[in-house]
Amino acid sequence: MKSGLLAAILALAPFAASAQQVPTVRIRGTIESVDGNMLGIKTREGSDVKVRMTDNVAVFAVVKTELSEIKEGSYIGVTAMPEPDGTQKAIAVHIFPENQRGAAEGFRPWDARANSTMTNATVAQTVKGTDGQHITVKYKDGEKKVLVPPDTPIVTFIATDKPEVKPGAKLIIFGAAKKDDGSLEANRVNVGRDGITPPM
């Protein structure tokens, strides 16, 4: 009897685990209104959405920086387009603060544009070339060679506070949680500073 009960519990365990996975939505757009913790956002696609910031929301400013700030050992995110030779051509690079090292590490499809990719990884080597900076990045199960052309937007994240979340600012929310009632909630908001549109 006990073994049968145990088998039944084990059989149900995967369903219980999957039920706890809250679906998330990536949102890019312009803040149109701020009412307490509720944001009104016009998305990149042109739709209007409401997102509630959690009480302990982490707010980061997306700030322009220089290619020279990308050094060996830096932890970066590369938004890129795959090249025919298997390398990646960067369309944007963001430098993570040290306390976010390891965040979402790896290589995956991305939605900045059709067929784009995202690689979050550590810089193993960086070499200047005639066509831009050639960077090798390594993550836990692989590595990528990346060309960063001279005109590529380079940004970093700076921890900031809610006053930076204001109408007119451009933002990206990497993972707004979709609640059972269909509402959206975010525990992290990334806002472009000085009119920047987060390029990733």
Side-chain angles (χ1 to χ4, degrees):
M1 181 71 179
K2 282 184 180 176
S3 62
L5 181 60
L6 180 60
I9 291 169
L10 290 174
L12 287 170
F15 297 99
S18 63
Q20 291 165 4
Q21 291 293 321
V22 177
T24 59
V25 181
R26 192 173 301 126
I27 298 169
R28 297 178 181 84
T30 304
I31 301 170
E32 296 211 312
S33 64
V34 181
D35 182 5
N37 278 359
M38 188 64 73
L39 302 180
I41 300 167
K42 174 75 75 175
T43 70
R44 179 180 69 172
E45 295 74 25
S47 59
D48 295 302
V49 298
K50 298 274 189 193
V51 179
R52 193 185 80 80
M53 297 183 290
T54 59
D55 291 337
N56 63 343
V57 66
V59 180
F60 287 88
V62 179
V63 181
K64 277 185 183 172
T65 189
E66 302 299 323
L67 183 61
S68 59
E69 291 301 310
I70 300 173
K71 303 176 172 68
E72 289 182 16
S74 297
Y75 189 72
I76 64 174
V78 181
T79 310
M81 298 299 295
E83 295 286 277
D85 64 358
T87 62
Q88 301 285 313
K89 186 175 182 179
I91 54 177
V93 179
H94 58 276
I95 305 171
F96 285 97
E98 187 57 35
N99 64 0
Q100 290 176 36
R101 179 175 292 278
E105 184 177 3
F107 172 77
R108 63 190 65 82
W110 198 242
D111 61 351
R113 60 178 75 163
N115 302 317
S116 63
T117 64
M118 177 64 77
T119 310
N120 287 0
T122 300
V123 176
Q125 186 180 43
T126 177
V127 179
K128 190 167 181 57
T130 54
D131 51 353
Q133 199 78 4
H134 293 259
I135 296 175
T136 302
V137 295
K138 294 192 175 184
Y139 47 97
K140 54 182 173 279
D141 49 6
E143 68 175 47
K144 294 290 175 190
K145 295 191 182 301
V146 179
L147 169 64
V148 184
D151 58 349
T152 305
I154 313 291
V155 297
T156 189
F157 295 115
I158 295 177
T160 185
D161 297 307
K162 278 186 182 177
E164 195 127 19
V165 182
K166 55 194 175 189
K170 311 285 188 185
L171 93 170
I172 181 168
I173 299 171
F174 291 118
K178 195 166 190 178
K179 301 301 207 177
D180 290 343
D181 62 2
S183 65
L184 295 168
E185 186 177 75
N187 60 11
R188 173 173 170 159
V189 176
N190 308 280
V191 184
R193 183 176 283 179
D194 299 328
I196 290 176
T197 298
M200 65 287 292

